Every structure is written in C-alpha cells, then in structure tokens.
Amino acid sequence: MDKIRSNTFISKKMSYCLRHNPQKYGLKLDEYGFVDLDKFLLAMNQMHHFKPKLTEMRIREIMHDSKKERFEIKNGKICALYGHSIPGIIKRKEAQPPDVLYHGTAHRFLKSILEEGLLPMSRQYVHLSTDIEMAESVGKRRDPNPVILLIDAKKAFADGIKFYVGNDEVWLCDHVPSKYLKIR
Ligand code: HQG
C-alpha cells in the first residue's frame, strides 16, 4: 500500500471513530469532541491491527501531510474538528465569520436547498468553506459539475445567526435560511 493510500485509509478510520461512532471503539467523546489520545491509539490499534502500530507520531505525520485540517491534538487529547454525526451535539466555539462563505453541492439538491435553506442533514452542523476552491472540491464529491452557493455570512451574522469555528477553512452553522444564499 503506498503512503498516500495508507494515510487516507487511517484518516478515514480516525474520522469514522471521532465523528460518527466512538462507541464502537469503546470510547466516549467529551462535550467538545475530545478523547484521550492514549485511549484512542489503543482502541484504534485493537480494532484495526495496524502494522506498524498507529502512534501519535504517525497521526501527526498524517495531519501534516493532509490538505485538510481534520483533527486537532491538544493536552494529550484528540478530536475531529468537523463532520460529526454522533447523537450528542459537539460544542463548537461561536465566532464572527468572514463576510462571505461558500458551499459546494449537487444540482439535484438545489431545489430543496432554495426552499429550506442549508440543513445539516446527517451531520450536526452545516459545513461552509472560506474559499471557492474548497467548496468546489466538497461539491465534487456529489456532482462532477457542482453548484457553488455564496453565503452572505455578514448579513446572516448581523441578523443573529450563529456561526462556529471548524478550522481555518471550515465554518459551521445550525441552519442557513435560503435568503442568505446566492448561486454563483
Ligand atoms: C446537502 C467532507 C437537500 C448539502 C467535506 C450536502 C466537507 C441539502 C449534503 C464536510 C439541504 C450533506 C461536509 C437541503 C444541505 N436539501 N440537500 N435543504 N441542505 N444539503 O457530506 O457539506 O473530507 O453531510 O449541500 O469535504 O457536503 O470528510 O456535507 O451536499 O468538508 O473531511 O446535503 O465533509 O470533509 O452532505 O461535507 P455532507 P458537506 P472530509
């Protein structure tokens, strides 16, 4: 297995555990989505029998090599920065977003999005990007020629809609009503 493939493989297992199913690994996330790194490593190795064993150094290497900032390690703990679907809501820090944010999606979702606004669907939050390129790559997961929506985050924030920090490029929101959306 080449390195990129194995990075992706490990990263996907980490995301699955930290975003969607820590329980399956015998782990419980705290209210901000963190879990003790030692426990995480033990559980990941027990479940997947990684060879060589998954270590903190290997995880840091994967994080460093990735284009996306998916995880954070802090005070001996690790968390996923976005993408959660577990039942208990993971708290994120509220902050003032950039004036404009972007969301890439499939044409087939457009009608419903323009009616209902952007909804979290199976995740805990709506995911918004700080730049068009990122929104495009997110949208391409579902449509080879995705629709890019511009979000008037300045107005939405001024109107009291809450925004939360994912990482430097990903912002989170509970719901974006369609009046703040414009098709690029
Ligand atoms: C759509 C990946 C119908 C929404 C990505 C999206 C991102 C609606 C889909 C991150 C709707 C949900 C998140 C409505 C929203 N009607 N469809 N009212 N509101 N949708 O995967 O934002 O690589 O849960 O447009 O790259 O695509 O895994 O969200 O198409 O950063 O780290 O419902 O996950 O990151 O899809 O992706 P998702 P997303 P990783």
Side-chain angles (χ1 to χ4, degrees):
M1 208 186 276
D2 64 47
K3 190 172 157 211
I4 298 297
R5 198 170 145 219
S6 82
N7 276 11
T8 305
F9 180 82
I10 295 170
S11 177
K12 285 195 171 183
K13 299 294 179 200
M14 289 172 61
S15 289
Y16 178 70
C17 175
L18 294 170
R19 292 175 179 177
H20 309 300
N21 203 351
Q23 215 181 338
K24 186 174 165 193
Y25 293 77
L27 299 172
K28 196 171 177 326
L29 308 184
D30 73 14
E31 57 182 341
Y32 291 95
F34 278 99
V35 66
D36 192 88
L37 181 58
D38 289 338
K39 285 190 189 152
F40 177 73
L41 288 169
L42 202 64
M44 289 293 283
N45 281 308
Q46 262 170 7
M47 182 74 80
H48 300 295
H49 308 286
F50 288 119
K51 281 196 183 69
K53 266 198 172 171
L54 187 61
T55 58
E56 175 175 348
M57 220 164 84
R58 182 77 178 98
I59 289 181
R60 286 189 184 276
E61 188 182 77
I62 290 167
M63 287 164 64
H64 177 265
D65 289 353
S66 172
K67 273 193 266 170
K68 285 184 166 183
E69 196 189 351
R70 295 188 171 92
F71 311 103
E72 182 180 17
I73 294 178
K74 205 162 84 181
N75 304 329
K77 293 176 175 198
I78 185 164
C79 75
L81 288 169
Y82 59 86
H84 299 88
S85 72
I86 56 169
I89 196 99
I90 297 295
K91 285 191 196 161
R92 305 299 323 177
K93 200 175 91 193
E94 274 181 56
Q96 179 170 358
D99 290 353
V100 180
L101 287 166
Y102 305 90
H103 180 89
T105 190
H107 277 93
R108 64 182 182 281
F109 299 151
L110 200 53
K111 184 171 176 286
S112 148
I113 291 175
L114 293 178
E115 279 166 20
E116 307 172 315
L118 285 170
L119 295 170
M121 306 310 275
S122 62
R123 304 193 197 255
Q124 296 190 352
Y125 298 98
V126 173
H127 289 60
L128 306 169
S129 308
T130 52
D131 64 89
I132 293 190
E133 291 71 31
M134 168 75 84
E136 232 149 33
S137 85
V138 173
K140 276 190 176 145
R141 287 154 56 245
R142 303 184 193 283
D143 188 329
N145 181 26
V147 186
I148 305 300
L149 298 170
L150 273 65
I151 291 97
D152 189 347
K154 187 179 180 184
K155 173 110 177 55
F157 184 73
D159 289 350
I161 296 208
K162 288 177 184 161
F163 288 82
Y164 312 90
V165 182
N167 61 30
D168 286 349
E169 294 176 314
V170 178
W171 282 77
L172 306 169
C173 210
D174 300 306
H175 171 218
V176 185
S178 57
K179 66 174 171 180
Y180 302 109
L181 305 176
K182 213 165 70 189
I183 300 170
R184 183 173 67 132

